[in-house]
Amino acid sequence: AADRRDEVMNTCCQSIYLLLSDKNNREAYWALFNEVYNLLKRFPSYNINQIFDKVDSNKIIAVRFLDAVSCKYYIALVKEVLNG
């Protein structure tokens, strides 16, 4: 179970690294970031799955590197930073 969790975490981290490194797709990244940020600010009590369900799926598709799990991990990271 721990090995599987580590594998998923590594995959998520690699996906987010690719997302942040994609210089040709910055507009799509910032559109996704702004949507996640605004949803987290608007619905601070929502959990990661609830925020994910509200994100425009076209914005997730546009960044190319995130699947559902890595997108939820990304949302969790942004939420953690916002909550300090």
Side-chain angles (χ1 to χ4, degrees):
D3 288 339
R4 176 70 180 132
R5 184 187 71 228
D6 290 345
E7 182 182 326
V8 170
M9 291 280 294
N10 285 336
T11 300
C12 288
C13 289
Q14 288 172 346
S15 296
I16 291 170
Y17 174 79
L18 291 171
L19 169 72
L20 296 174
S21 301
D22 186 4
K23 294 180 178 165
N24 297 322
N25 211 11
R26 288 180 189 232
E27 190 174 313
Y29 167 74
W30 285 110
L32 175 64
F33 174 82
N34 285 330
E35 176 133 348
V36 168
Y37 177 85
N38 289 327
L39 287 168
L40 288 168
K41 286 297 203 180
R42 187 171 172 200
F43 304 104
S45 65
Y46 277 23
N47 66 37
I48 302 306
N49 289 320
Q50 291 169 309
I51 296 294
F52 176 79
D53 289 343
K54 288 199 163 289
V55 173
D56 179 351
S57 61
N58 290 321
K59 290 183 179 164
I60 298 169
I61 292 166
V63 297
R64 299 187 313 210
F65 296 109
L66 299 183
D67 61 10
V69 175
S70 58
C71 187
K72 290 176 184 181
Y73 186 76
Y74 174 75
I75 293 167
L77 291 173
V78 175
K79 185 172 185 171
E80 184 176 316
V81 170
L82 287 177
N83 292 338

Coordinates of all heavy atoms in Angstrom, one line a residue:
A1 N 0.8 -1.2 0.0 CA 0.0 0.0 0.0 C 0.9 1.3 0.0 O 0.6 2.2 -0.7 CB -0.9 0.0 1.2
A2 N 1.9 1.2 0.8 CA 2.8 2.4 0.9 C 3.5 2.6 -0.5 O 3.7 3.7 -0.9 CB 3.8 2.2 2.0
D3 N 3.9 1.5 -1.1 CA 4.6 1.6 -2.4 C 3.7 2.2 -3.5 O 4.1 3.0 -4.3 CB 5.1 0.2 -2.9 CG 6.2 -0.3 -2.1 OD1 6.9 0.5 -1.5 OD2 6.5 -1.5 -2.2
R4 N 2.4 1.8 -3.4 CA 1.4 2.3 -4.4 C 1.2 3.8 -4.1 O 1.2 4.6 -5.1 CB 0.1 1.6 -4.3 CG -1.0 2.1 -5.1 CD -0.7 1.8 -6.6 NE -1.8 2.4 -7.4 CZ -1.7 3.1 -8.5 NH1 -0.5 3.4 -8.9 NH2 -2.7 3.6 -9.1
R5 N 1.1 4.2 -2.9 CA 0.9 5.6 -2.5 C 2.1 6.4 -3.0 O 2.0 7.5 -3.6 CB 0.8 5.8 -1.0 CG 0.5 7.2 -0.6 CD 0.5 7.4 0.9 NE 1.8 7.3 1.4 CZ 2.2 6.6 2.4 NH1 1.3 5.9 3.1 NH2 3.4 6.5 2.8
D6 N 3.3 5.9 -2.8 CA 4.6 6.6 -3.2 C 4.6 6.7 -4.8 O 5.0 7.8 -5.3 CB 5.8 5.9 -2.8 CG 6.0 6.0 -1.2 OD1 5.4 6.8 -0.6 OD2 6.8 5.2 -0.7
E7 N 4.2 5.7 -5.4 CA 4.1 5.7 -6.9 C 3.1 6.8 -7.4 O 3.5 7.6 -8.3 CB 3.7 4.4 -7.4 CG 3.7 4.3 -8.9 CD 3.2 2.9 -9.4 OE1 3.5 1.9 -8.7 OE2 2.5 2.8 -10.5
V8 N 2.0 6.9 -6.8 CA 1.0 7.9 -7.2 C 1.5 9.3 -6.9 O 1.4 10.2 -7.7 CB -0.4 7.6 -6.4 CG1 -1.3 8.8 -6.6 CG2 -1.0 6.3 -6.9
M9 N 2.1 9.5 -5.7 CA 2.7 10.8 -5.4 C 3.8 11.2 -6.4 O 3.8 12.3 -6.8 CB 3.3 10.7 -4.0 CG 2.3 10.6 -2.9 SD 1.5 12.1 -2.5 CE 2.8 13.0 -1.8
N10 N 4.6 10.2 -6.7 CA 5.7 10.6 -7.7 C 5.1 10.9 -9.1 O 5.6 11.9 -9.7 CB 6.6 9.4 -7.9 CG 7.6 9.2 -6.7 OD1 7.9 10.2 -6.0 ND2 8.1 8.0 -6.5
T11 N 4.1 10.2 -9.5 CA 3.4 10.5 -10.7 C 2.8 11.9 -10.7 O 2.9 12.7 -11.6 CB 2.4 9.5 -11.1 OG1 3.0 8.2 -11.2 CG2 1.6 9.8 -12.4
C12 N 2.1 12.2 -9.6 CA 1.5 13.6 -9.4 C 2.6 14.7 -9.5 O 2.4 15.7 -10.1 CB 0.8 13.6 -8.1 SG -0.8 12.7 -8.1
C13 N 3.7 14.4 -8.8 CA 4.8 15.4 -8.8 C 5.4 15.6 -10.1 O 5.6 16.8 -10.6 CB 5.8 15.0 -7.7 SG 5.3 15.2 -6.0
Q14 N 5.5 14.5 -10.9 CA 6.1 14.6 -12.2 C 5.1 15.4 -13.1 O 5.5 16.2 -13.9 CB 6.3 13.3 -12.8 CG 7.5 12.5 -12.2 CD 7.6 11.1 -12.7 OE1 6.7 10.5 -13.3 NE2 8.7 10.5 -12.4
S15 N 3.8 15.2 -13.0 CA 2.8 15.9 -13.8 C 2.8 17.3 -13.5 O 2.7 18.2 -14.4 CB 1.4 15.3 -13.5 OG 1.3 13.9 -13.9
I16 N 2.9 17.7 -12.2 CA 2.9 19.1 -11.8 C 4.2 19.8 -12.3 O 4.2 20.9 -12.8 CB 2.7 19.2 -10.3 CG1 1.2 18.8 -10.0 CG2 3.0 20.7 -9.8 CD1 0.9 18.7 -8.6
Y17 N 5.3 19.1 -12.2 CA 6.6 19.6 -12.8 C 6.4 19.9 -14.3 O 6.8 21.0 -14.7 CB 7.7 18.6 -12.5 CG 9.0 19.1 -13.2 CD1 9.8 20.0 -12.6 CD2 9.4 18.5 -14.4 CE1 11.0 20.5 -13.2 CE2 10.6 19.0 -15.0 CZ 11.3 19.9 -14.4 OH 12.5 20.4 -15.1
L18 N 5.9 19.0 -15.0 CA 5.6 19.2 -16.4 C 4.7 20.4 -16.7 O 4.9 21.2 -17.6 CB 5.1 18.0 -17.1 CG 6.0 16.8 -17.2 CD1 5.3 15.5 -17.7 CD2 7.2 17.1 -18.1
L19 N 3.7 20.5 -15.9 CA 2.7 21.6 -16.0 C 3.4 22.9 -15.8 O 3.3 23.9 -16.6 CB 1.6 21.4 -14.9 CG 0.7 22.6 -14.6 CD1 -0.3 22.7 -15.8 CD2 0.0 22.3 -13.3
L20 N 4.3 23.0 -14.7 CA 4.9 24.3 -14.4 C 6.1 24.6 -15.4 O 6.5 25.7 -15.5 CB 5.5 24.2 -13.0 CG 4.4 24.1 -11.9 CD1 5.1 23.9 -10.5 CD2 3.5 25.3 -11.9
S21 N 6.6 23.6 -16.1 CA 7.7 23.7 -17.0 C 7.2 24.0 -18.4 O 8.1 24.4 -19.3 CB 8.6 22.5 -17.0 OG 9.0 22.2 -15.8
D22 N 6.0 23.9 -18.7 CA 5.5 24.0 -20.1 C 5.4 25.5 -20.5 O 4.4 26.2 -20.2 CB 4.1 23.3 -20.2 CG 3.6 23.3 -21.6 OD1 4.3 23.8 -22.5 OD2 2.5 22.9 -21.8
K23 N 6.4 26.0 -21.0 CA 6.5 27.5 -21.4 C 5.6 27.8 -22.5 O 5.2 29.0 -22.7 CB 7.9 27.8 -21.7 CG 8.8 27.8 -20.5 CD 10.2 28.1 -20.8 CE 11.0 28.0 -19.5 NZ 12.3 28.0 -19.5
N24 N 5.2 26.8 -23.3 CA 4.3 27.1 -24.5 C 2.8 27.1 -24.1 O 2.0 27.4 -25.0 CB 4.5 26.0 -25.5 CG 5.9 26.1 -26.1 OD1 6.5 27.2 -26.3 ND2 6.5 24.9 -26.3
N25 N 2.5 26.8 -22.8 CA 1.1 26.7 -22.4 C 0.8 27.5 -21.2 O 0.0 27.1 -20.4 CB 0.8 25.2 -22.3 CG -0.7 24.9 -22.6 OD1 -1.4 25.7 -23.1 ND2 -1.1 23.7 -22.3
R26 N 1.5 28.6 -21.0 CA 1.4 29.4 -19.7 C 0.0 29.9 -19.6 O -0.5 30.0 -18.5 CB 2.4 30.5 -19.7 CG 3.8 30.0 -19.5 CD 4.8 31.1 -19.4 NE 6.1 30.5 -19.4 CZ 7.0 30.9 -18.5 NH1 6.8 31.7 -17.6 NH2 8.2 30.3 -18.6
E27 N -0.6 30.3 -20.7 CA -2.0 30.9 -20.6 C -2.9 29.9 -20.0 O -3.8 30.2 -19.1 CB -2.4 31.4 -22.0 CG -3.7 32.2 -21.9 CD -4.0 32.7 -23.3 OE1 -3.1 33.3 -24.0 OE2 -5.2 32.6 -23.7
A28 N -2.9 28.7 -20.5 CA -3.7 27.6 -19.9 C -3.4 27.3 -18.5 O -4.4 27.1 -17.7 CB -3.6 26.3 -20.8
Y29 N -2.2 27.3 -18.1 CA -1.8 27.1 -16.7 C -2.4 28.2 -15.8 O -3.0 27.9 -14.8 CB -0.3 27.1 -16.5 CG 0.0 27.2 -15.0 CD1 -0.2 26.1 -14.2 CD2 0.4 28.4 -14.4 CE1 0.1 26.2 -12.8 CE2 0.7 28.5 -13.1 CZ 0.5 27.4 -12.3 OH 0.7 27.5 -10.9
W30 N -2.2 29.5 -16.2 CA -2.7 30.6 -15.4 C -4.3 30.6 -15.3 O -4.9 30.9 -14.3 CB -2.2 31.9 -15.8 CG -0.7 32.0 -15.4 CD1 0.3 32.0 -16.2 CD2 -0.3 32.1 -14.1 NE1 1.5 32.1 -15.5 CE2 1.2 32.2 -14.2 CE3 -0.9 32.2 -12.8 CZ2 2.0 32.3 -13.0 CZ3 -0.1 32.3 -11.7 CH2 1.3 32.3 -11.8
A31 N -4.9 30.2 -16.4 CA -6.4 30.0 -16.4 C -6.8 29.0 -15.3 O -7.7 29.2 -14.6 CB -6.9 29.7 -17.7
L32 N -6.1 27.9 -15.3 CA -6.4 26.8 -14.3 C -6.1 27.3 -12.9 O -6.9 27.2 -12.0 CB -5.6 25.5 -14.6 CG -5.8 24.4 -13.6 CD1 -7.2 23.9 -13.6 CD2 -4.8 23.3 -13.9
F33 N -4.9 27.9 -12.7 CA -4.6 28.4 -11.4 C -5.6 29.4 -10.9 O -6.0 29.3 -9.7 CB -3.2 29.0 -11.4 CG -2.8 29.7 -10.1 CD1 -2.3 28.9 -9.1 CD2 -3.0 31.0 -9.9 CE1 -2.0 29.5 -7.8 CE2 -2.8 31.6 -8.7 CZ -2.3 30.8 -7.6
N34 N -6.0 30.4 -11.7 CA -6.9 31.4 -11.3 C -8.3 30.7 -10.9 O -8.9 31.2 -9.9 CB -7.1 32.4 -12.4 CG -6.0 33.4 -12.5 OD1 -5.3 33.6 -11.5 ND2 -5.7 33.9 -13.7
E35 N -8.7 29.8 -11.7 CA -10.0 29.1 -11.3 C -9.8 28.4 -10.0 O -10.7 28.5 -9.2 CB -10.4 28.1 -12.4 CG -11.6 27.3 -12.1 CD -12.6 27.3 -13.2 OE1 -12.5 28.0 -14.2 OE2 -13.5 26.5 -13.1
V36 N -8.8 27.6 -9.8 CA -8.6 26.9 -8.6 C -8.5 27.9 -7.4 O -9.2 27.7 -6.4 CB -7.3 26.0 -8.6 CG1 -6.9 25.5 -7.3 CG2 -7.6 24.8 -9.6
Y37 N -7.7 28.9 -7.6 CA -7.5 29.9 -6.5 C -8.9 30.6 -6.1 O -9.2 30.6 -5.0 CB -6.5 31.0 -7.0 CG -6.3 32.1 -6.0 CD1 -5.4 32.0 -5.0 CD2 -7.1 33.3 -6.2 CE1 -5.2 33.1 -4.1 CE2 -6.9 34.3 -5.3 CZ -6.0 34.2 -4.3 OH -5.8 35.2 -3.4
N38 N -9.6 31.0 -7.1 CA -10.9 31.6 -6.9 C -11.9 30.7 -6.2 O -12.7 31.1 -5.3 CB -11.5 32.2 -8.2 CG -10.7 33.5 -8.6 OD1 -10.1 34.2 -7.8 ND2 -10.6 33.6 -9.9
L39 N -11.9 29.5 -6.7 CA -12.8 28.5 -6.0 C -12.4 28.2 -4.6 O -13.3 28.1 -3.7 CB -12.8 27.2 -6.8 CG -13.5 27.2 -8.2 CD1 -13.2 25.9 -9.0 CD2 -15.1 27.4 -8.0
L40 N -11.2 28.1 -4.3 CA -10.7 27.9 -2.9 C -11.0 29.1 -2.0 O -11.4 28.9 -0.9 CB -9.2 27.6 -2.9 CG -8.8 26.2 -3.4 CD1 -7.3 26.2 -3.6 CD2 -9.3 25.1 -2.5
K41 N -10.9 30.3 -2.6 CA -11.3 31.5 -1.8 C -12.8 31.6 -1.6 O -13.3 32.0 -0.6 CB -10.8 32.7 -2.6 CG -9.3 32.9 -2.5 CD -8.9 33.2 -1.0 CE -7.6 33.9 -0.9 NZ -7.2 34.1 0.5
R42 N -13.5 31.2 -2.7 CA -15.0 31.3 -2.6 C -15.6 30.3 -1.7 O -16.7 30.5 -1.1 CB -15.6 31.3 -4.0 CG -17.0 31.5 -4.1 CD -17.4 31.6 -5.6 NE -18.9 31.7 -5.7 CZ -19.6 31.4 -6.7 NH1 -19.0 31.0 -7.8 NH2 -20.9 31.5 -6.7
F43 N -15.1 29.1 -1.7 CA -15.6 28.0 -1.0 C -14.5 27.4 0.0 O -14.1 26.2 -0.2 CB -16.1 26.9 -1.9 CG -17.1 27.3 -2.9 CD1 -16.7 27.5 -4.2 CD2 -18.4 27.5 -2.6 CE1 -17.7 28.0 -5.2 CE2 -19.3 28.0 -3.5 CZ -19.0 28.2 -4.8
P44 N -14.1 28.1 1.0 CA -13.0 27.7 1.8 C -13.3 26.4 2.6 O -12.3 25.7 3.0 CB -12.8 28.8 2.8 CG -14.0 29.6 2.8 CD -14.6 29.4 1.4
S45 N -14.5 26.1 2.8 CA -14.9 24.9 3.6 C -15.0 23.6 2.7 O -15.1 22.5 3.2 CB -16.1 25.0 4.4 OG -17.2 25.2 3.5
Y46 N -14.9 23.8 1.4 CA -15.0 22.6 0.5 C -13.8 21.8 0.5 O -12.6 22.3 0.7 CB -15.2 23.1 -1.0 CG -16.6 23.5 -1.4 CD1 -17.6 23.8 -0.4 CD2 -17.0 23.4 -2.7 CE1 -18.9 24.1 -0.8 CE2 -18.3 23.8 -3.1 CZ -19.2 24.1 -2.1 OH -20.5 24.4 -2.5
N47 N -14.0 20.5 0.4 CA -12.8 19.6 0.3 C -12.3 19.6 -1.1 O -12.8 20.2 -2.0 CB -13.1 18.2 0.9 CG -14.1 17.4 0.0 OD1 -14.1 17.5 -1.2 ND2 -15.0 16.7 0.7
I48 N -11.2 18.8 -1.3 CA -10.5 18.8 -2.6 C -11.4 18.3 -3.7 O -11.4 18.8 -4.8 CB -9.2 18.0 -2.5 CG1 -8.2 18.5 -1.4 CG2 -8.5 17.9 -3.9 CD1 -7.9 19.9 -1.6
N49 N -12.2 17.2 -3.4 CA -13.1 16.7 -4.4 C -14.2 17.6 -4.8 O -14.5 17.7 -6.0 CB -13.7 15.3 -3.9 CG -12.7 14.2 -3.9 OD1 -11.8 14.1 -4.8 ND2 -12.7 13.4 -2.8
Q50 N -14.7 18.4 -3.8 CA -15.7 19.4 -4.2 C -15.2 20.5 -5.0 O -15.8 20.9 -6.0 CB -16.3 19.9 -2.9 CG -17.1 18.9 -2.1 CD -17.5 19.4 -0.7 OE1 -16.6 19.9 0.1 NE2 -18.8 19.4 -0.4
I51 N -14.0 20.9 -4.8 CA -13.3 22.0 -5.6 C -13.1 21.4 -7.0 O -13.4 22.0 -8.0 CB -12.0 22.5 -5.0 CG1 -12.3 23.2 -3.6 CG2 -11.3 23.4 -5.9 CD1 -13.1 24.5 -3.7
F52 N -12.5 20.2 -7.0 CA -12.2 19.6 -8.3 C -13.5 19.5 -9.2 O -13.5 19.8 -10.4 CB -11.6 18.2 -8.1 CG -11.4 17.4 -9.4 CD1 -10.3 17.7 -10.2 CD2 -12.3 16.4 -9.8 CE1 -10.1 17.0 -11.4 CE2 -12.1 15.7 -10.9 CZ -11.0 16.0 -11.8
D53 N -14.6 19.1 -8.6 CA -15.9 19.0 -9.3 C -16.4 20.3 -9.9 O -17.1 20.3 -10.8 CB -17.0 18.4 -8.4 CG -16.7 16.9 -8.1 OD1 -15.9 16.3 -8.8 OD2 -17.3 16.4 -7.1
K54 N -15.9 21.4 -9.3 CA -16.4 22.7 -9.7 C -15.4 23.3 -10.8 O -15.8 24.3 -11.5 CB -16.4 23.7 -8.6 CG -17.6 23.4 -7.7 CD -17.9 24.6 -6.8 CE -19.3 24.6 -6.2 NZ -20.4 24.8 -7.2
V55 N -14.2 22.8 -10.9 CA -13.3 23.3 -11.9 C -13.8 23.0 -13.3 O -14.2 21.8 -13.6 CB -11.9 22.7 -11.7 CG1 -10.9 23.1 -12.8 CG2 -11.3 23.1 -10.4
D56 N -13.7 23.9 -14.2 CA -14.1 23.7 -15.6 C -13.1 22.7 -16.2 O -11.9 22.9 -16.3 CB -13.9 25.1 -16.3 CG -14.3 25.0 -17.8 OD1 -14.5 23.9 -18.3 OD2 -14.3 26.1 -18.4
S57 N -13.7 21.6 -16.6 CA -12.9 20.5 -17.1 C -12.1 20.9 -18.4 O -11.0 20.3 -18.6 CB -13.8 19.2 -17.5 OG -14.7 19.6 -18.4
N58 N -12.6 21.8 -19.1 CA -11.8 22.3 -20.3 C -10.5 23.0 -19.9 O -9.5 22.9 -20.6 CB -12.6 23.3 -21.1 CG -13.8 22.6 -21.8 OD1 -13.6 21.5 -22.3 ND2 -14.9 23.2 -21.9
K59 N -10.4 23.6 -18.7 CA -9.2 24.2 -18.2 C -8.2 23.1 -17.8 O -7.0 23.3 -17.9 CB -9.5 25.1 -17.1 CG -10.2 26.4 -17.6 CD -10.5 27.4 -16.5 CE -11.2 28.6 -17.2 NZ -11.8 29.4 -16.3
I60 N -8.7 22.0 -17.3 CA -7.8 20.9 -16.9 C -7.3 20.2 -18.2 O -6.1 20.0 -18.3 CB -8.6 19.8 -16.0 CG1 -9.0 20.5 -14.7 CG2 -7.7 18.6 -15.8 CD1 -10.0 19.6 -13.9
I61 N -8.1 20.0 -19.1 CA -7.7 19.4 -20.4 C -6.7 20.3 -21.1 O -5.7 19.8 -21.7 CB -8.9 19.1 -21.3 CG1 -9.8 18.1 -20.7 CG2 -8.5 18.8 -22.7 CD1 -11.2 17.9 -21.3
A62 N -6.9 21.6 -21.0 CA -6.0 22.6 -21.8 C -4.6 22.5 -21.3 O -3.7 22.8 -22.0 CB -6.6 24.0 -21.6
V63 N -4.3 22.2 -20.0 CA -3.0 22.2 -19.5 C -2.2 20.9 -19.9 O -1.0 20.8 -19.7 CB -2.9 22.4 -18.0 CG1 -3.4 23.8 -17.6 CG2 -3.6 21.4 -17.2
R64 N -3.0 19.9 -20.3 CA -2.4 18.7 -20.9 C -1.8 17.7 -20.0 O -1.8 16.5 -20.3 CB -1.4 19.0 -22.0 CG -2.0 19.7 -23.2 CD -1.0 19.9 -24.3 NE 0.3 20.3 -23.8 CZ 1.2 20.9 -24.5 NH1 0.9 21.3 -25.7 NH2 2.4 21.2 -24.0
F65 N -1.2 18.1 -18.9 CA -0.4 17.1 -18.1 C -1.1 16.6 -16.9 O -0.6 15.7 -16.3 CB 0.9 17.8 -17.7 CG 1.8 18.2 -18.8 CD1 2.0 19.5 -19.1 CD2 2.5 17.2 -19.5 CE1 2.8 19.9 -20.2 CE2 3.3 17.6 -20.6 CZ 3.5 18.9 -20.9
L66 N -2.2 17.1 -16.6 CA -2.9 16.6 -15.3 C -4.0 15.7 -15.6 O -4.9 15.9 -16.4 CB -3.5 17.8 -14.6 CG -2.5 18.9 -14.1 CD1 -3.2 19.9 -13.3 CD2 -1.4 18.3 -13.3
D67 N -4.0 14.5 -14.9 CA -5.2 13.7 -14.9 C -6.0 14.0 -13.6 O -5.6 15.0 -12.9 CB -4.8 12.2 -14.9 CG -3.9 11.7 -13.8 OD1 -3.8 12.5 -12.8 OD2 -3.4 10.6 -13.8
A68 N -7.0 13.3 -13.4 CA -7.9 13.7 -12.2 C -7.1 13.6 -10.9 O -7.2 14.5 -10.1 CB -9.1 12.7 -12.1
V69 N -6.3 12.6 -10.7 CA -5.5 12.5 -9.4 C -4.5 13.6 -9.3 O -4.4 14.2 -8.2 CB -4.9 11.1 -9.3 CG1 -4.0 11.0 -8.1 CG2 -5.9 10.0 -9.3
S70 N -3.7 13.8 -10.3 CA -2.7 14.9 -10.2 C -3.3 16.3 -10.1 O -2.8 17.1 -9.5 CB -1.7 14.8 -11.4 OG -2.3 14.9 -12.6
C71 N -4.5 16.5 -10.7 CA -5.2 17.7 -10.6 C -5.7 17.9 -9.1 O -5.5 19.0 -8.6 CB -6.4 17.8 -11.5 SG -7.1 19.5 -11.5
K72 N -6.2 16.9 -8.5 CA -6.6 17.0 -7.1 C -5.4 17.2 -6.2 O -5.5 18.0 -5.3 CB -7.3 15.7 -6.7 CG -8.7 15.6 -7.3 CD -9.3 14.3 -7.0 CE -10.7 14.1 -7.7 NZ -11.3 12.9 -7.4
Y73 N -4.3 16.6 -6.5 CA -3.0 16.9 -5.8 C -2.6 18.3 -5.9 O -2.2 19.0 -5.0 CB -1.9 15.9 -6.3 CG -0.7 16.0 -5.4 CD1 -0.6 15.4 -4.2 CD2 0.5 16.6 -5.9 CE1 0.6 15.5 -3.4 CE2 1.6 16.7 -5.2 CZ 1.7 16.1 -4.0 OH 2.8 16.2 -3.2
Y74 N -2.7 18.9 -7.2 CA -2.4 20.3 -7.4 C -3.3 21.2 -6.6 O -2.8 22.1 -6.0 CB -2.5 20.5 -8.9 CG -2.3 22.0 -9.3 CD1 -1.1 22.6 -9.3 CD2 -3.4 22.8 -9.6 CE1 -0.9 23.9 -9.6 CE2 -3.3 24.1 -9.9 CZ -2.0 24.7 -9.9 OH -1.9 26.0 -10.2
I75 N -4.6 20.9 -6.6 CA -5.5 21.7 -5.8 C -5.2 21.6 -4.3 O -5.2 22.7 -3.6 CB -7.0 21.2 -6.0 CG1 -7.4 21.4 -7.5 CG2 -8.0 21.8 -5.0 CD1 -8.7 20.7 -7.9
A76 N -4.8 20.5 -3.8 CA -4.4 20.3 -2.4 C -3.2 21.2 -2.1 O -3.1 21.8 -1.1 CB -4.1 18.8 -2.1
L77 N -2.2 21.2 -3.1 CA -1.0 22.0 -2.8 C -1.4 23.5 -2.8 O -0.9 24.2 -1.9 CB 0.0 21.8 -4.0 CG 0.7 20.4 -4.0 CD1 1.5 20.3 -5.2 CD2 1.5 20.2 -2.7
V78 N -2.2 24.0 -3.7 CA -2.6 25.4 -3.7 C -3.4 25.7 -2.4 O -3.2 26.7 -1.8 CB -3.5 25.7 -5.0 CG1 -4.0 27.1 -4.9 CG2 -2.7 25.5 -6.2
K79 N -4.3 24.8 -2.0 CA -5.0 25.0 -0.8 C -4.1 25.1 0.4 O -4.3 25.9 1.3 CB -6.1 23.8 -0.6 CG -7.0 24.0 0.6 CD -8.1 23.0 0.6 CE -9.1 23.4 1.7 NZ -10.3 22.5 1.7
E80 N -3.1 24.2 0.5 CA -2.2 24.2 1.6 C -1.4 25.6 1.7 O -1.3 26.1 2.8 CB -1.2 23.1 1.4 CG -0.2 22.9 2.6 CD 0.7 21.7 2.4 OE1 0.2 20.7 2.1 OE2 1.9 21.9 2.7
V81 N -1.0 26.1 0.5 CA -0.3 27.4 0.5 C -1.3 28.5 1.0 O -0.9 29.4 1.7 CB 0.3 27.6 -0.9 CG1 0.8 29.1 -1.0 CG2 1.4 26.7 -1.2
L82 N -2.5 28.5 0.5 CA -3.4 29.5 0.9 C -3.8 29.5 2.4 O -4.0 30.5 3.0 CB -4.8 29.3 0.1 CG -4.7 29.7 -1.4 CD1 -6.0 29.4 -2.0 CD2 -4.3 31.2 -1.5
N83 N -3.8 28.3 2.9 CA -4.1 28.1 4.4 C -2.9 28.3 5.3 O -3.1 28.3 6.5 CB -4.8 26.8 4.6 CG -6.2 26.7 4.0 OD1 -6.8 27.7 3.7 ND2 -6.6 25.5 3.8
G84 N -1.8 28.5 4.6 CA -0.5 28.7 5.4 C -0.2 27.6 6.3 O 0.4 27.6 7.2

